[in-house]
Amino acid sequence: MAPVTLSPPLLLLAILLLSTAGTTQCHHGHKSQRHQTGGTRMPKKTAAAGASSHPADTVHHAICHTTPHPVSCLTAVASHLAAAAAGAKMVEASAVSVQLLPTNVLSVLLASLRGAELALSSLSPALSALSAPPAASPAGGSLRRGAAQDCQELHAATLSSLSRSASLLAAPGEGLPAVRAHLAAALTNKATCLDGLAGASGPRIGGLLSSLDDAYEHVSNSLALVAGRGAVSAAGFVNAVAKTVHNQRLLQDDDDDDDSGGDDDSDNDGDDNGGNTGQPAATVITVAKDGTGNFRTVGEAVAAAPNNSETRTVIHVKAGTYEENVEVPPYKTNVALVGEGRDTTVITGSRSAAADWTTFRTATFGVSGEGFLARDITFRNTAGAGKGQAVALRVNADLAALYRCGVEAHQDALYAHSFRQFYRECAVSGTVDVVFGDAAAVLQGCALLARAPLPGQSVVLTAQGRADANEDTGIALHHCTVSTASAGLPAGTRVFLGRPWGAYARAVVMDSYLGQIVDREGWLEWPGAEPGRGDTVYFGEYGNDGPGADTEGRVDWAGVRQMEYDEAAQFAVENFIYGDEWLGATSFPYDDDV
């Protein structure tokens, strides 16, 4: 039999798997910084001491001390370095691979990723037990609706992102931005799970929370090792995108005079990558309430879409109001939702925090499947201003784009949860934290519409959740307009551009029209935040006009700045979400620069 030759990605994964077969993941005790459990971390310290006692480990020791959690890094190096180093040398020696990181850094990174994967995998049974009957659940019966499901689904997503990150590092020319996006999303997944578990109690909940903290230290370290290193390889990234979106023009306008649209005056009309010649035909599913389509509900159509598809599935939703909560799970990839106008095709729900749902699970429409597109449709949550968090649209999927869509709610209307996202000519209306989350999200040519909040409340347009300074995330408003919704605002209502949900929150407003409603202070503090958060955030304004654009009275925080072009350009589509490499395949227009 002829010898079998493995490609570099497969060979690297094989080395990692074989070297860790039969390994038992040890629990390293509980932290006391966030979750008081009284445990110790001595096993980690012992492993770290052993790892640093040999002169040959000096370089790896130094690399680990550049990470946020050196002890966890050294523990991973002590356990997994041999396999990781072999994989790194294989990548370096490959004639087809682009060397993205120095070999020693890559070795430590792969060891850290393996440490994260094993530590988190060991927690799978405990997280699964959250949905057990109250007597068997670590949290007893104290969980909010959806909390167990949130943690389990996000845990699976994190494990997938860790595996994907290792594969991307081994693949030819894939580039580091995708790795950073996956690792930042993993950290956001943890934060979301903990949000859902807030207030939970039970005999084992403290240990679970502390173990999550320990495991995610490896994720934070991995992100630190790739932060700010290297640029995307254009050819490699195009190849990766081609696998997911197949460069199809399936959503090209049949009629550019759609009354829900805006002006197609962008620098890129989505046609640079050519037509769909030679590409597989899309699957088209029709939804109609009157029974004239394939299905009567959007949820049924999503369920019927092929799993893990590399070709586009177009779900055409005919005019009507569809009352349902819909989830596009991770295995429903490359789904395109096409309505008949955002004023005529509406998906609506009413879940809210007041009904004891987690914020994540309140979404009327939730997206976890990579490569999701939507156009000419509205997502609505009708819970009302008095019901607390009530999300209309949640997106936690990479390479997602929406065009001429509506997002309508009150508090927490658009949950840009994680990964890279783009919104063009959409109308987003709400009250408190209208656009929030920890994605790298660009809203371009969109209308942000302030609705009437509860008495005494202010309207806040953005609440960005970046909690790790190494994350490539933030909210960028570009060529947008800020004004009131049709019903107007009560006299004296203050409207702010944003507030810092995370300690390193980033939000920028560029080349936009800011109406009279924008408060002269511009930015609002997060209630109960640690002192000095205004110094660690990044809130920027550039080239705006309108009566609300005067920056004379803005808050005096170190993190608030009037940007020059070079700063603003970092948040352009081409630089912030690498849009030139994937948006052309969507047929949606976009401006790639500021």
Side-chain angles (χ1 to χ4, degrees):
M1 180 181 294
V4 177
T5 302
L6 293 178
S7 66
L10 293 177
L11 181 57
L12 174 58
L13 291 176
I15 291 172
L16 291 173
L17 290 172
L18 289 172
S19 66
T20 54
T23 300
T24 301
Q25 173 63 26
C26 297
H27 178 64
H28 299 302
H30 302 321
K31 296 194 297 184
S32 59
Q33 293 117 319
R34 183 176 300 168
H35 309 297
Q36 192 70 33
T37 60
T40 66
R41 299 170 65 89
M42 289 306 295
K44 278 183 146 183
K45 292 179 181 177
T46 302
S52 62
S53 60
H54 304 292
D57 293 324
T58 302
V59 173
H60 300 126
H61 189 281
I63 293 170
C64 279
H65 277 275
T66 68
T67 67
H69 309 286
V71 172
S72 293
C73 178
L74 291 167
T75 300
V77 165
S79 300
H80 312 299
L81 183 62
K89 288 179 181 178
M90 178 274 297
V91 172
E92 182 181 35
S94 171
V96 297
S97 181
V98 176
Q99 185 68 11
L100 300 174
L101 295 170
T103 304
N104 284 326
V105 175
L106 182 58
S107 297
V108 175
L109 172 57
L110 291 172
S112 183
L113 286 171
R114 189 57 179 157
E117 187 174 2
L118 286 173
L120 284 164
S121 294
S122 72
L123 297 178
S124 296
L127 289 166
S128 296
L130 288 172
S131 57
S137 171
S142 59
L143 290 179
R144 285 186 286 164
R145 298 167 73 182
Q149 185 180 358
D150 293 352
C151 286
Q152 291 157 10
E153 290 182 3
L154 294 170
H155 179 67
T158 290
L159 290 174
S160 176
S161 280
L162 294 175
S163 175
R164 184 83 172 269
S165 295
S167 297
L168 286 166
L169 288 167
E174 294 286 5
L176 296 178
V179 175
R180 291 195 290 265
H182 276 278
L183 295 177
L187 293 177
T188 305
N189 291 342
K190 178 211 175 188
T192 304
C193 173
L194 294 183
D195 285 346
L197 296 178
S201 61
R204 299 185 301 280
I205 194 67
L208 172 60
L209 298 180
S210 185
S211 295
L212 281 170
D213 281 345
D214 285 346
Y216 273 94
E217 286 186 356
H218 295 292
V219 181
S220 182
N221 286 342
S222 300
L223 178 60
L225 291 168
V226 293
R229 296 179 184 269
V232 68
S233 164
F237 197 80
V238 167
N239 289 336
V241 172
K243 296 174 187 175
T244 24
V245 297
H246 270 260
N247 204 16
Q248 295 185 56
R249 316 270 33 93
L250 299 172
L251 301 181
Q252 193 67 44
D253 283 338
D254 292 325
D255 181 2
D256 285 336
D257 294 326
D258 188 306
D259 60 6
S260 297
D263 296 326
D264 277 7
D265 58 356
S266 66
D267 293 340
N268 188 305
D269 62 5
D271 289 333
D272 342 309
N273 292 335
N276 58 359
T277 303
Q279 299 294 344
T283 300
V284 180
I285 301 171
T286 301
V287 179
K289 293 190 70 175
D290 61 7
T292 58
N294 303 105
F295 298 99
R296 292 179 181 269
T297 70
V298 179
E300 290 175 314
V302 170
N307 294 345
N308 303 310
S309 176
E310 294 188 349
T311 59
R312 183 69 61 196
T313 300
V314 177
I315 299 177
H316 173 211
V317 187
K318 291 189 175 182
T321 299
Y322 298 81
E323 298 181 11
E324 52 182 313
N325 288 85
V326 181
E327 288 284 339
V328 181
Y331 51 87
K332 299 294 183 180
T333 52
N334 296 307
V335 169
L337 198 67
V338 182
E340 296 187 344
R342 68 180 178 224
D343 295 328
T344 56
T345 303
V346 179
I347 303 174
T348 184
S350 60
R351 287 181 182 174
S352 70
D356 208 30
W357 289 99
T358 63
T359 302
F360 189 85
R361 202 57 58 177
T362 62
T364 296
F365 197 94
V367 181
S368 304
E370 184 173 305
F372 175 81
L373 305 179
R375 64 174 295 161
D376 298 317
I377 194 167
T378 285
F379 308 94
R380 180 180 294 159
N381 190 311
T382 61
K387 296 298 181 68
Q389 296 90 338
V391 175
L393 173 66
R394 185 199 75 239
V395 181
N396 49 295
D398 203 14
L399 309 180
L402 288 85
Y403 178 41
R404 302 195 306 203
C405 291
V407 182
E408 300 175 2
H410 285 85
Q411 183 170 349
D412 292 0
L414 171 56
Y415 196 171
H417 180 272
S418 50
F419 287 111
R420 294 165 288 186
Q421 308 177 14
F422 179 71
Y423 301 81
R424 173 78 181 203
E425 296 171 28
C426 295
V428 187
S429 61
T431 57
V432 180
D433 304 338
V434 180
V435 183
F436 77 110
D438 195 20
V442 176
L443 284 73
Q444 194 173 82
C446 294
L448 277 75
L449 305 171
R451 303 180 71 176
L454 294 175
Q457 280 187 338
S458 297
V459 174
V460 185
L461 299 178
T462 65
Q464 210 279 325
R466 184 168 170 257
D468 189 308
N470 290 315
E471 295 177 12
D472 287 350
T473 60
I475 297 170
L477 308 182
H478 184 212
H479 283 314
C480 293
T481 61
V482 175
S483 59
T484 61
S486 56
L489 294 175
T493 301
R494 303 180 73 185
V495 178
F496 294 91
L497 297 176
R499 60 178 181 165
W501 186 19
Y504 299 94
R506 288 200 298 193
V508 297
V509 185
M510 308 180 295
D511 297 327
S512 295
Y513 178 86
L514 308 184
Q516 185 68 51
I517 62 171
V518 175
D519 194 274
R520 66 192 303 271
E521 292 189 0
W523 307 90
L524 183 66
E525 291 183 346
W526 188 269
E530 69 283 352
R533 183 173 291 195
D535 297 335
T536 59
V537 304
Y538 188 109
F539 287 159
E541 298 176 59
Y542 173 79
N544 301 312
D545 61 9
D550 185 357
T551 60
E552 185 68 27
R554 293 295 190 252
V555 291
D556 185 22
W557 301 348
V560 173
R561 62 196 72 202
Q562 310 312 311
M563 299 185 294
E564 300 294 336
Y565 172 80
D566 288 345
E567 279 187 285
Q570 298 175 39
F571 297 95
V573 164
E574 64 176 340
N575 298 321
F576 193 45
I577 59 172
Y578 300 90
D580 280 350
E581 308 295 350
W582 61 279
L583 283 174
T586 68
S587 83
F588 298 166
Y590 67 95
D591 302 317
D592 57 1
D593 199 1
V594 295

